[in-house]
Amino acid sequence: MSAEGGDEVYKYAGVVVNNDSIMVDKVFTYEIPENMAENVQIGFRVKVPFGRGDKLLDGFIMNLSEEYSGDVNYIKPLRRLCDEFPLFTPRDLKLMDFMKRRYLCTYIDAIRLLIPTGITKGITSRVESVLYIKNPPGGRLEKSPYTEIYEKVKNENGVYNKTALSRKFNFSLSSINTLLKHENLTTEEVVVNRLDHREYEEYSPKILNPEQANALETILTGEDNKYLIHGVTGSGKTEVYLHLVENMLKSGKDSIMLVPEISLTPQMVERFKGRFGRDISVFHSKMSDGERFDEWMRIKKGKTKIAIGARSALFLPFKNPGIIIMDEEHESSYKSESNPKYDAREIAEYMSAINGCKLVFGTATPSMDTYFRSKNGDIKLIEIKNRADNAKLPDMELVDMREELANNNRSIFSSRLFKVMDQSIKKGEQVILFLNRRGFSTFVSCRKCGFVYKCRQCDITLTYHKEDNLMHCHYCGYRQPVHQKCPQCGSSYLKYFGIGTERVEEEVKKYFPSVKTLRMDMDTTRKKNSYINIYESFKAGEAQVLIGTQMIAKGLDFPNVTLVGVLAADLTLNLPDYKSSERTFQLLTQVAGRAGRSNKGGRVIIQTYTPDHYSIQCSMANDYDGFYNKEITVRDNMNYPPFSEIININLNCAKEDLLIKTIKELGEKVKFFLKDRKEIDVLGPCPCAISKIKEMYRWQIILKGAFDYGLAEDIKDVVYDSLKNVYTEVKLNLDVNPNNLI
Ligand code: ADP
Ligand code: ZN
Ligand code: ZN
């Protein structure tokens, strides 16, 4: 960057400031002071004076130039460079640009994905003094505790600081100090990793069966860059992933292994660490900023070549990615719900294109979009039709709950489910019960006047939780006690309706008092290690019944589980969303896959009020293609994705009047802008299904159709322009192909 050898001397830097307002979503030009010219690079974090008061903000360098065409009198100088290295590369700029165009996000939203969280708040590496060997203790130390200390440090060089050494082996600090004094030991400042690395058992490679071997071969030698492994649950996809990663390691390339959120991580991490050792980076949402920073740095310095994590692991600073693998490709958690509302599948695809690396999707139940594309030849399809260890798929049974009611069974268990549960428990086998709703009762209502408890801040009914005897809002966390009498009419006919997992656990305990249960849902997994603790406890057989929400539906492998009970298959089916059939099919198939993972065989009992629905029927028959063919016709007829795209323009505001006025004006402008685009439907404006969350009213406009290149961005400009006088009060959320429309 210096003037040497005719290189350009950069005098100006384009900077994006670390601020959320859509009004500063621009690249601002700053002057580069001479003393920085030598070091400045794209991707550096800088301090810049900003606005009228010259407030010092963090900024990020997006471009460098020799000339500036505007009025230089208004140009302020960069104040200083932060960090010792740039946080992103020129190649990352392409990715940011893609995100801006595709998800209509701001620059800063895109930048934040690529840099370590917390770095702007001052998070840095943790440095500790660690003991090192210097001189071997001479004969004079023989048989003294010093020799022992020396040996420990020698064998585990660089691992211990003074307190850790003293605590773990019960050495006194004074004897350690003596060794230090005699310079047998020295201390050295080193960067330590905050992440606690558990020990993992070795997981030795398996000999691939022909279907697995074919998958591996196809991916490694194929011309294509994008693959979909459609393999039934238990078909040994993970073993294929492990072999793929091993191949990448051999050729010196990096691998990114994505799993849906935290829930799958323990098992996957267990297998990966068991195969490749500890030098794997793990990345998930429950890590602290410090831990994330450390993992980010390890990768930046090239110390690890494999990362396993949730969707954000895609953005880790690998230099030479050879493969990106996305397990459970259909999972909705691959779509971000916060800005930028990116779809990790698309980002992975874009990265694979710009880096020339392989992309592998794997799942038993491909999403409609991905399967559609694989049928069109856009993604290469690889099928694995049999379970890896030749275990049979479980026997599936359907119970029509309307008949149970007719037979006067009001319990949450059908007589059939109850009977099989009883048998399994008596045989000492394990049972999983699945219900996709947490809490005890889903709502509390007065039987006399119809009053229903709702959240004060949100337009949503409160869920009763027995744990703390309070009603909770699942959107904002608001809690309140239940009254003895109806707050509206004073009657004492308050009744609890609808069941959640807490209630299921209570019922199990009622009917099987001696049986130990575990529950896995958002309420029991808030703490950092609770998920892995429940998982390990159930795996170790410390409980016979595991009750859970969709958290347990995903890839968990428990050999002793012989029965899976689905208490209410209709829950997901009845959601007002075009994806509800797809979700139901996926969820039932995934949950069913938890049964019969050993030679004991397995049974799945599904309770439902709509036994004839095709998503239930097809999952019963393990018929993915049957489901796909039905569903794709529905999507086509309704012009839903993959035949169209959806853009949700959501506005929220504490003032309802202002919100309605603003969105109606915006609606007119958008309609005018799209008046010659008959292929795009403009739906709304109308209030969202949940019309208020946390005191903020919510309305939306939904656009549906085929958006050609640049059109979505032009619409965004219309939206920005329409909000320019109200942006401090009216908040905008743009979501391209949202997961749901509530
Ligand atoms: P999936 O991810 O496709 O649902 P898993 O990778 O969990 O399936 O594999 C299911 C089971 O089969 C696991 O217990 C795994 O250890 C076992 N398995 C996988 N591949 C083989 C193989 N080639 N030979 C024997 N067992 C295998
Ligand atoms: Zn009442
Ligand atoms: Zn609320």
Side-chain angles (χ1 to χ4, degrees):
M1 285 7 95
S2 70
E4 248 175 89
D7 276 355
E8 312 89 329
V9 182
Y10 293 123
K11 289 183 72 179
Y12 301 99
V15 172
V16 167
V17 292
N18 185 26
N19 182 292
D20 283 316
S21 168
I22 55 173
M23 294 302 138
V24 300
D25 181 26
K26 300 177 183 134
V27 179
F28 294 94
T29 303
Y30 282 86
E31 188 194 330
I32 302 170
E34 258 169 47
N35 64 345
M36 286 181 212
E38 189 95 4
N39 296 324
V40 72
Q41 287 177 53
I42 284 175
F44 255 102
R45 180 164 66 105
V46 287
K47 291 283 180 190
V48 292
F50 192 76
R52 267 183 225 139
D54 278 350
K55 200 175 154 200
L56 219 50
L57 293 184
D58 274 314
F60 299 90
I61 296 188
M62 307 297 284
N63 62 57
L64 296 165
S65 56
E66 295 158 70
E67 312 277 337
Y68 178 63
S69 57
D71 185 345
V72 287
N73 289 319
Y74 291 103
I75 295 288
K76 299 173 190 175
L78 299 176
R79 197 62 66 80
R80 65 182 168 84
L81 300 179
C82 313
D83 318 310
E84 277 143 31
F85 46 82
L87 299 179
F88 52 83
T89 64
R91 194 176 64 188
D92 293 331
L93 290 176
K94 281 195 196 169
L95 183 60
M96 293 181 198
D97 188 53
F98 170 75
M99 286 194 273
K100 256 180 83 64
R101 278 188 283 117
R102 177 69 183 146
Y103 307 111
L104 310 175
C105 67
T106 60
Y107 281 110
I108 194 67
D109 282 335
I111 291 172
R112 282 183 189 143
L113 286 177
L114 288 145
I115 63 173
T117 35
I119 199 166
T120 54
K121 288 180 256 156
I123 296 260
T124 53
S125 296
R126 180 189 288 173
V127 174
E128 270 180 18
S129 45
V130 167
L131 299 167
Y132 272 88
I133 306 297
K134 205 167 170 196
N135 305 306
R140 72 196 149 84
L141 289 174
E142 238 174 284
K143 288 205 171 70
S144 74
Y146 301 132
T147 330
E148 209 187 325
I149 296 175
Y150 175 81
E151 287 300 323
K152 294 286 185 218
V153 177
K154 190 173 82 180
N155 291 334
E156 300 182 45
N157 203 351
V159 180
Y160 294 107
N161 61 22
K162 280 203 275 182
T163 28
L165 187 70
S166 124
R167 212 178 291 144
K168 181 150 182 198
F169 300 104
N170 228 345
F171 300 137
S172 71
L173 277 175
S174 71
S175 39
I176 298 171
N177 284 334
T178 307
L179 279 175
L180 281 165
K181 202 172 97 195
H182 289 110
E183 297 191 332
N184 295 126
L185 293 181
T186 55
T187 62
E188 202 171 287
E189 303 276 289
V190 297
V191 172
V192 293
N193 200 328
R194 276 164 278 214
L195 200 64
D196 98 77
H197 284 279
R198 292 176 173 239
E199 301 290 329
Y200 290 88
E201 265 174 54
E202 186 174 325
Y203 187 70
S204 36
K206 297 191 162 55
I207 297 169
L208 299 184
N209 64 35
E211 284 189 300
Q212 288 172 314
N214 169 58
L216 181 72
E217 192 63 20
T218 309
I219 296 167
L220 288 178
T221 59
E223 305 257 292
D224 306 78
N225 257 358
K226 295 175 270 181
Y227 299 86
L228 166 64
I229 306 180
H230 176 206
V232 295
T233 52
S235 59
K237 294 184 286 294
T238 311
E239 195 59 40
V240 177
Y241 305 155
L242 288 163
H243 276 78
L244 284 167
V245 170
E246 195 175 337
N247 265 278
M248 292 301 143
L249 269 185
K250 278 190 193 137
S251 50
K253 290 184 180 161
D254 307 319
S255 306
I256 303 177
M257 174 78 224
L258 296 186
V259 295
E261 56 183 56
I262 176 180
S263 56
L264 235 159
T265 315
Q267 179 169 298
M268 211 37 115
V269 172
E270 221 168 69
R271 291 183 182 179
F272 269 73
K273 289 207 167 166
R275 180 77 45 97
F276 301 114
R278 350 177 115 243
D279 285 338
I280 288 178
S281 286
V282 180
F283 223 67
H284 58 74
S285 60
K286 298 231 164 142
M287 284 159 66
S288 68
D289 282 353
E291 292 170 339
R292 284 161 169 266
F293 182 88
D294 291 350
E295 290 300 90
W296 194 93
M297 283 302 291
R298 286 207 311 153
I299 294 166
K300 182 89 178 172
K301 289 182 183 158
K303 292 198 172 153
T304 67
K305 303 191 85 50
I306 304 172
I308 305 179
R311 60 173 187 250
S312 60
L314 261 183
F315 303 103
L316 290 169
F318 283 112
K319 284 194 189 67
N320 186 17
I323 197 164
I324 302 172
I325 303 170
M326 294 182 77
D327 192 34
E328 310 285 0
E329 165 279 329
H330 62 280
E331 268 294 318
S332 56
S333 66
Y334 282 127
K335 174 81 163 67
S336 170
E337 301 272 323
S338 53
N339 289 331
K341 298 194 164 118
Y342 67 91
D343 186 330
R345 282 161 288 231
E346 292 174 353
I347 303 270
E349 202 174 328
Y350 186 78
M351 285 173 59
S352 133
I354 57 175
N355 294 320
C357 74
K358 304 253 174 191
L359 170 61
V360 176
F361 296 124
T363 173
T365 52
S367 64
M368 292 301 291
D369 302 70
T370 302
Y371 205 65
F372 182 73
R373 294 182 54 205
S374 77
K375 292 226 146 180
N376 291 346
D378 195 9
I379 298 174
K380 169 106 182 130
L381 179 64
I382 301 169
E383 305 257 10
I384 306 185
K385 296 203 183 281
N386 298 295
R387 280 190 158 184
D389 37 15
N390 279 323
K392 280 193 307 191
L393 283 166
D395 290 325
M396 309 279 285
E397 284 181 39
L398 206 57
V399 176
D400 186 341
M401 290 305 273
R402 294 170 303 187
E403 286 170 19
E404 294 292 311
L405 212 58
N407 294 331
N408 237 335
N409 176 10
R410 290 176 183 278
S411 139
I412 64 172
F413 304 118
S414 59
S415 47
R416 177 68 186 151
L417 177 57
F418 187 85
K419 189 174 147 204
V420 180
M421 262 173 84
D422 191 47
Q423 287 167 351
S424 304
I425 287 170
K426 282 189 180 132
K427 276 193 247 165
E429 296 162 357
Q430 288 180 304
V431 175
I432 290 180
L433 294 177
F434 171 76
L435 179 72
N436 208 11
R437 201 155 60 185
R438 65 197 172 92
F440 193 85
S441 305
T442 26
F443 64 102
V444 183
S445 158
C446 170
R447 270 204 288 193
K448 189 156 179 223
C449 72
F451 169 84
V452 178
Y453 278 101
K454 281 194 161 187
C455 177
R456 270 201 232 158
Q457 313 184 84
C458 313
D459 171 38
I460 195 95
T461 57
L462 294 174
T463 302
Y464 174 69
H465 286 243
K466 203 157 192 179
E467 200 103 47
D468 54 7
N469 196 28
L470 294 172
M471 292 182 296
H472 297 204
C473 171
H474 285 179
Y475 279 83
C476 73
Y478 167 81
R479 294 169 186 206
Q480 74 165 66
V482 192
H483 307 104
Q484 294 295 322
K485 299 215 154 104
C486 169
Q488 188 165 285
C489 76
S491 86
S492 44
Y493 299 124
L494 286 175
K495 196 168 183 288
Y496 296 71
F497 294 91
I499 54 166
T501 43
E502 221 186 349
R503 170 83 189 278
V504 175
E505 189 174 27
E506 191 174 284
E507 296 285 309
V508 173
K509 285 182 174 151
K510 191 168 94 192
Y511 292 113
F512 305 97
S514 61
V515 163
K516 286 229 165 54
T517 59
L518 282 166
R519 178 158 58 89
M520 192 184 274
D521 55 28
M522 245 163 57
D523 298 313
T524 62
T525 53
R526 272 182 228 287
K527 291 210 200 91
K528 189 165 181 179
N529 287 324
S530 46
Y531 179 87
I532 190 165
N533 290 341
I534 297 173
Y535 164 77
E536 279 176 355
S537 172
F538 192 62
K539 197 170 175 190
E542 287 160 15
Q544 249 186 305
V545 180
L546 173 67
I547 297 133
T549 54
Q550 62 190 24
M551 267 184 199
I552 59 170
K554 294 159 198 163
L556 299 179
D557 190 4
F558 302 113
N560 201 29
V561 171
T562 53
L563 170 65
V564 170
V566 178
L567 293 170
D570 319 85
L571 277 186
T572 38
L573 207 51
N574 295 334
L575 294 176
D577 196 328
Y578 77 92
K579 281 190 180 169
S580 62
S581 299
E582 181 180 358
R583 291 232 175 86
T584 306
F585 176 81
Q586 287 164 352
L587 213 52
L588 291 179
T589 308
Q590 297 287 335
V591 174
R594 300 315 111 220
R597 289 220 150 188
S598 74
N599 50 15
K600 287 181 195 139
R603 183 170 300 281
V604 179
I605 297 179
I606 297 175
Q607 304 188 157
T608 174
Y609 289 94
T610 46
D612 298 328
H613 194 282
Y614 62 90
S615 44
I616 293 180
Q617 285 294 336
C618 292
S619 72
M620 289 290 298
N622 193 33
D623 180 9
Y624 178 84
D625 283 320
F627 171 77
Y628 174 83
N629 290 333
K630 268 246 160 39
E631 181 66 11
I632 204 76
T633 317
V634 174
R635 299 285 178 92
D636 196 2
N637 290 340
M638 305 291 289
N639 192 30
Y640 275 128
F643 300 96
S644 66
E645 300 210 294
I646 291 175
I647 297 179
N648 185 7
I649 306 171
N650 170 295
L651 297 188
N652 53 80
C653 176
K655 296 179 184 159
E656 196 172 15
D657 296 351
L658 177 61
L659 175 66
I660 295 173
K661 180 170 167 281
T662 308
I663 201 159
K664 287 200 163 153
E665 281 168 17
L666 172 60
E668 290 310 315
K669 285 183 191 164
V670 170
K671 279 175 193 158
F672 181 75
F673 180 75
L674 292 171
K675 64 183 185 311
D676 299 325
R677 300 286 195 140
K678 290 289 168 273
E679 74 281 12
I680 294 179
D681 295 334
V682 182
L683 312 171
C686 60
C688 304
I690 299 174
S691 64
K692 192 173 79 169
I693 292 180
K694 289 191 197 178
E695 306 277 17
M696 299 287 271
Y697 293 91
R698 311 169 71 235
W699 280 59
Q700 66 195 13
I701 298 168
I702 291 167
L703 311 179
K704 192 172 84 172
F707 297 86
D708 38 57
Y709 187 84
L711 179 63
E713 275 184 294
D714 292 344
I715 296 171
K716 179 179 93 169
D717 291 340
V718 173
V719 176
Y720 273 27
D721 186 62
S722 186
L723 297 180
K724 65 177 183 290
N725 296 319
V726 290
Y727 69 91
T728 51
E729 288 192 282
V730 180
K731 294 293 166 223
L732 167 70
N733 271 303
L734 290 170
D735 198 343
V736 178
N737 295 335
N739 263 342
N740 56 60
L741 294 170
I742 51 176

